[in-house]
């Protein structure tokens, strides 16, 4: 499977993501576990333009360089104790006089990985070519392939950041099991292959601290840290959070609702303490297309045990809601 993936990735990198259906790839309404081949093809095709932009536009590269350059310009101010603007991460707030607890804490900068430091657009191109959806097992093969690229400007900025603060990589790349107490390499490989593969790739790309396991927080890596917000709060117990860099609102706040409720207070952090890298391919924003299916999904799928089962179950009502919404917004006849 890995070799197949690599062949496709190399092919797609050479050709961009030209989309030329063949007879064998023709769209058919075949029932799959979560929907139909037609539905899968539709969903994968939706990331075509975003993937083209990420792989071929000078503007995407420029936007990333601009974000990291802006962050670099703020490094000194953001990591200096006592000069932070008030934000959600209140540990950065306040004076840093001799009696202040903040004075004793080192500054920390937290980075998301995918589509913040690592460019996975080749995996997206593979999805389009294969007319398939994101899949956890396929993603793990992609991570193992170590084909992700560094986003423009990322390596140089993280190197600079590591000289000014303690850096952490907080990512939704996932461990199969928590590895809090795992020391044995074989067990570590079995329980969290994505950690080792990610560290290896990041080391080859030149990111600092890539060999330091304590710099990484993957999803499910620690049993008691089940969200990025929980991880940030954990890091904040021993650091002043100086800067956050991500591609999704949840790299900065617990939820969109929290941000919306506090936007007046939080928005001034953009460009000063918070830096966002554009990601046109995925995130929570496309959910607006399937929001109408929430009740149907709940009724049909809430009894299922695992997230994977629920995701498959939700696929059909979400797909139908998306199609209905698109028909209203973009009627073709
Ligand atoms: Mg990300």
């Amino acid at each position: 499977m890995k070799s197949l993936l690599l062949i496709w990735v190399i092919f797609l990198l050479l050709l961009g993501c030209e989309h030329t259906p063949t007879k064998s790839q023709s769209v058919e309404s075949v029932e799959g576990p979560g929907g139909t081949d037609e539905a899968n093809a539709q969903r994968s095709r939706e990331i075509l333009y975003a993937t083209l932009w990420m792989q071929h536009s000078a503007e995407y590269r420029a936007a990333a360089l601009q974000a990291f350059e802006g962050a670099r310009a703020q490094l000194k101010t953001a990591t200096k104790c006592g000069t932070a603007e008030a934000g959600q991460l209140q540990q950065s707030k306040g004076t840093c006089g001799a009696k202040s607890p903040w004075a004793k804490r080192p500054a920390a900068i937290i980075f998301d990985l995918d589509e913040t430091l690592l460019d996975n657009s080749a995996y997206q191109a593979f999805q389009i070519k294969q007319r398939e959806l994101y899949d956890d097992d396929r993603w793990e093969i992609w991570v193992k392939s170590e084909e992700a690229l560094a986003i423009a400007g990322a390596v140089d900025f993280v190197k600079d950041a590591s000289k000014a603060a303690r850096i952490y990589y907080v990512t939704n790349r996932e461990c199969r099991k928590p590895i809090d107490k795992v020391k044995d390499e074989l067990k570590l490989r079995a329980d969290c292959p994505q950690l080792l593969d990610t560290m290896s790739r990041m080391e080859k790309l030149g990111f600092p601290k890539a060999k330091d396991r304590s710099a990484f927080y993957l999803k499910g890596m620690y049993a008691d840290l089940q969200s990025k917000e929980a991880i940030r709060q954990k890091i904040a117990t021993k650091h002043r959070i100086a800067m956050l860099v991500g591609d999704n609102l949840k790299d900065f706040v617990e939820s969109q609702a929290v941000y919306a409720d506090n936007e007046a207070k939080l928005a001034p952090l953009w460009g000063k303490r918070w830096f966002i890298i554009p990601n046109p391919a995925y995130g929570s924003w496309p959910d607006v297309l399937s929001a109408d299916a929430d009740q149907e999904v709940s009724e049909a799928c809430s009894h299922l045990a695992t997230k994977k089962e629920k995701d498959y179950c939700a696929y059909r009502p979400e797909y139908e809601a998306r199609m209905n919404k698109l028909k209203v917004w973009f009627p073709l006849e």
Side-chain angles (χ1 to χ4, degrees):
M1 189 63 82
K2 180 183 173 186
S3 59
L4 173 68
L5 176 63
L6 286 172
I7 289 167
W8 274 116
V9 166
I10 291 165
F11 176 74
L12 289 165
L13 286 171
L14 288 172
L15 294 184
C17 52
E18 183 186 351
H19 195 216
T20 311
T22 65
K23 193 171 182 185
S24 63
Q25 294 169 322
S26 64
V27 175
E28 296 169 2
S29 292
V30 177
E31 288 292 331
T36 65
D37 283 355
E38 183 182 11
N40 291 356
Q42 168 68 29
R43 286 289 294 276
S44 67
R45 194 168 55 211
E46 286 172 3
I47 58 170
L48 173 63
Y49 281 92
T51 304
L52 283 172
W53 189 71
M54 294 169 80
Q55 292 199 323
H56 295 283
S57 77
E59 290 83 357
Y60 172 53
R61 204 179 148 73
L65 289 169
Q66 179 175 262
F68 288 121
E69 200 53 44
R72 180 178 287 106
Q74 294 294 326
L75 256 184
K76 196 171 175 186
T77 303
T79 54
K80 192 174 171 188
C81 192
T83 59
E85 301 84 355
Q88 193 210 12
L89 295 169
Q90 296 296 325
Q91 61 276 8
S92 298
K93 192 180 173 186
T95 61
C96 277
K99 291 181 181 175
S100 166
W102 313 119
K104 296 183 178 124
R105 296 186 184 185
I109 297 177
I110 298 176
F111 295 92
D112 169 59
L113 290 187
D114 294 312
E115 275 51 72
T116 295
L117 302 180
L118 298 177
D119 171 358
N120 302 289
S121 59
Y123 172 69
Q124 293 162 201
F126 173 79
Q127 281 181 268
I128 298 165
K129 194 76 183 174
Q130 294 295 86
R131 299 180 160 220
E132 66 179 33
L133 302 176
Y134 172 86
D135 175 85
D136 285 343
D137 295 337
R138 187 84 89 180
W139 172 255
E140 191 155 299
I141 294 167
W142 163 253
V143 171
K144 188 175 180 59
S145 78
E146 295 192 34
E147 295 288 327
L149 303 173
I151 286 179
V155 175
D156 286 345
F157 176 67
V158 182
K159 281 181 182 170
D160 288 350
S162 71
K163 292 171 192 156
R166 179 74 206 262
I167 59 168
Y168 290 97
Y169 301 118
V170 177
T171 171
N172 279 338
R173 291 186 174 208
E174 194 165 7
C175 291
R176 294 172 184 167
K177 292 180 184 172
I179 56 167
D180 308 44
K181 297 183 177 83
V182 178
K183 293 210 167 55
D184 176 72
E185 273 297 305
L186 280 177
K187 180 151 177 52
L188 190 62
R189 162 62 57 186
D191 288 353
C192 196
Q194 291 193 31
L195 172 65
L196 301 182
D197 294 332
T198 299
M199 291 173 73
S200 173
R201 183 58 184 154
M202 291 186 69
E203 186 189 356
K204 287 171 190 157
L205 289 170
F207 285 103
K209 295 278 181 187
K211 287 159 73 170
D212 179 356
R213 187 173 141 186
S214 70
F216 287 80
Y217 285 87
L218 274 70
K219 192 174 180 181
M221 183 171 169
Y222 299 102
D224 62 339
L225 296 174
Q226 292 297 322
S227 71
K228 286 192 174 185
E229 179 63 19
I231 293 167
R232 285 192 290 270
Q233 296 301 337
K234 167 82 174 175
I235 293 170
T237 60
K238 293 188 177 170
H239 301 79
R240 290 177 289 113
I241 308 291
M243 194 177 274
L244 302 173
V245 187
D247 70 299
N248 187 293
L249 210 52
K250 288 185 179 177
D251 297 324
F252 304 88
V253 289
E254 187 170 11
S255 67
Q256 290 168 314
V258 167
Y259 182 80
D261 290 346
N262 297 280
E263 186 169 14
K265 186 174 72 172
L266 298 176
L269 296 172
W270 296 120
K272 296 188 181 69
R273 310 284 302 285
W274 291 4
F275 294 86
I276 197 146
I277 310 300
N279 178 1
Y282 64 91
S284 35
W285 47 270
D287 294 350
V288 67
L289 286 170
S290 55
D292 294 348
D294 279 357
Q295 190 172 343
E296 286 171 276
V297 169
S298 175
E299 286 172 6
C301 312
S302 57
H303 68 285
L304 296 169
T306 68
K307 182 178 181 302
K308 196 161 192 171
E309 287 173 323
K310 287 181 181 177
D311 285 348
Y312 274 130
C313 170
Y315 188 72
R316 177 180 291 281
E318 285 183 351
Y319 171 70
E320 288 172 355
R322 292 165 74 86
M323 290 299 98
N324 289 336
K325 182 79 83 181
L326 287 171
K327 278 178 195 163
V328 172
W329 287 358
F330 305 104
L332 296 175
E333 294 175 359

